[in-house]
Amino acid sequence: MTPNSPSHRSRRLGPLPWIAPAVLLILAVVLWPVYEMVRTSFLRISTSGFVRGSAGLDKYRKLFGESDLGHVLLATVVWTLAVVGLTMLLSLALAQLFDQRFPGRRYARWALIAPWAASVLMTAIGFRWMLDRTAGVLNTLLTDLGLVDGPRDWLGDPSTAWPWMVFVAVFVSLPFTTYTLLAGLQTVPAEVYEAARVDGASAWQAYRRITLPLLRPAFLVGLVINLINVFNSFPVIWGMTRGGPDSSTATSTVFMYQLKATDIGESAAMSVVNFALVVLMVLVFLKVSRWNGEES
């Protein structure tokens, strides 16, 4: 085989010809939009979309001078921790339940897919109608039962809007996370549990010392994807409250969209900050969880 033969050249290229389409796709749909986002954050753009010249760091200065930014970032952190934490806990319980044999298990599994199959925005709008102050079924039901004196504006008050939005976000996140953990549970050999029972381990000891360690890869996958999705969540909040009143129920992603109405450059700057926070969050998480490290 000569050095210039086609077979030799193909060996030198290795897997590059096979992964080249995926690399090009990533460049087209990920890196190029990121580049445009960063570039836009340094431009002065009118609300009609015309570039009026360079803005330097003015958009970032304006962004960090926003009075609502601190509240929005804090709300984003609380929102992410609440939704992801509840989703993972409930998904662990559901996955454990669906891993057992019981009458109607197949139909229960099918029912869990429903929130996943429906559009997230459609689900959010459906809950918004249900919670409507004047025509919502929740107010009608509670009033008829005598539990409230009159209709309540559930989504107009941040103290009640946030819990409802967390509930909807968890509701639409459960199917994917539960099935991810269920897939992980079904890879655990039954012989391991039999050996644990022979050794006198209780159900809780077997779960803590066998199930959870072996479930770690699936758990980390579900956790990382949920962190990214919930941090960047837009349809649930926008569909239910549009981030209002003002920005009292907005996360950083919704706040970014609100800024777009008045200043596209500042909105792009918020996008850059958001992107940096997501990357930092994932890197810190992977470092803490020792994703690629050996167990000590």
Side-chain angles (χ1 to χ4, degrees):
M1 183 188 300
T2 62
N4 294 323
S5 65
S7 177
H8 182 78
R9 287 197 297 271
S10 64
R11 286 189 176 184
R12 289 180 59 188
L13 290 174
L16 185 60
W18 304 102
I19 66 173
V23 172
L24 292 175
L25 182 63
I26 291 173
L27 290 173
V29 303
V30 177
L31 296 185
W32 177 252
V34 169
Y35 165 76
E36 284 295 324
M37 176 180 68
V38 174
R39 188 178 71 87
T40 303
S41 69
F42 292 101
L43 296 177
R44 186 174 290 106
I45 304 175
S46 67
T47 53
S48 55
F50 292 100
V51 178
R52 303 300 186 187
S54 175
L57 295 173
D58 289 349
K59 301 304 178 183
Y60 289 92
R61 295 191 189 97
K62 183 179 179 182
L63 173 65
F64 290 113
E66 292 283 352
S67 59
D68 290 332
L69 181 62
H71 164 75
V72 166
L73 292 178
L74 177 61
T76 303
V77 173
V78 175
W79 159 264
T80 303
L81 293 177
V83 174
V84 174
L86 287 171
T87 298
M88 298 308 298
L89 287 174
L90 291 174
S91 295
L92 273 173
L94 286 172
Q96 193 69 33
L97 172 65
F98 288 155
D99 196 40
Q100 309 301 316
R101 294 187 178 277
F102 59 88
R105 182 179 68 166
R106 177 184 300 178
Y107 302 106
R109 287 182 174 184
W110 289 351
L112 185 64
I113 298 177
W116 196 9
S119 162
V120 176
L121 181 60
M122 182 182 74
T123 302
I125 292 174
F127 273 93
R128 186 184 73 194
W129 288 345
M130 185 185 75
L131 298 169
D132 186 77
R133 182 173 186 172
T134 55
V137 295
L138 181 62
N139 274 327
T140 302
L141 176 63
L142 294 179
T143 303
D144 290 345
L145 293 175
L147 299 177
V148 294
D149 296 331
R152 293 189 60 182
D153 191 4
W154 299 99
L155 299 179
D157 182 356
S159 65
T160 53
W162 278 114
W164 276 109
M165 290 191 300
V166 168
F167 172 81
V168 175
V170 171
F171 177 72
V172 299
S173 301
L174 279 177
F176 167 79
T177 313
T178 299
Y179 276 100
T180 300
L181 296 178
L182 180 60
L185 282 175
Q186 293 180 341
T187 63
V188 181
E191 294 81 5
V192 178
Y193 292 114
E194 292 175 5
R197 281 194 295 270
V198 170
D199 290 340
S202 65
W204 168 244
Q205 289 174 327
Y207 185 76
R208 185 167 56 90
R209 296 181 180 178
I210 297 175
T211 304
L212 289 180
L214 294 179
L215 195 59
R216 183 172 179 265
F219 186 90
L220 289 178
V221 169
L223 187 56
V224 170
I225 292 177
N226 269 293
L227 282 172
I228 296 172
N229 285 344
V230 174
F231 186 90
N232 289 312
S233 180
F234 179 81
V236 171
I237 299 175
W238 190 257
M240 294 182 72
T241 67
R242 295 184 178 270
D246 297 324
S247 299
S248 57
T249 59
T251 58
S252 56
T253 305
V254 176
F255 188 60
M256 170 192 69
Y257 197 79
Q258 290 177 330
L259 292 174
K260 182 182 72 69
T262 55
D263 193 329
I264 295 175
E266 186 182 7
S267 177
M270 185 70 242
S271 300
V272 174
V273 172
N274 224 32
F275 180 76
L277 289 174
V278 170
V279 172
L280 179 63
M281 175 181 66
V282 173
L283 290 176
V284 169
F285 173 79
L286 295 181
K287 178 67 175 177
V288 171
S289 65
R290 293 179 296 180
W291 179 278
N292 292 316
E294 296 291 335
E295 290 289 334
S296 57

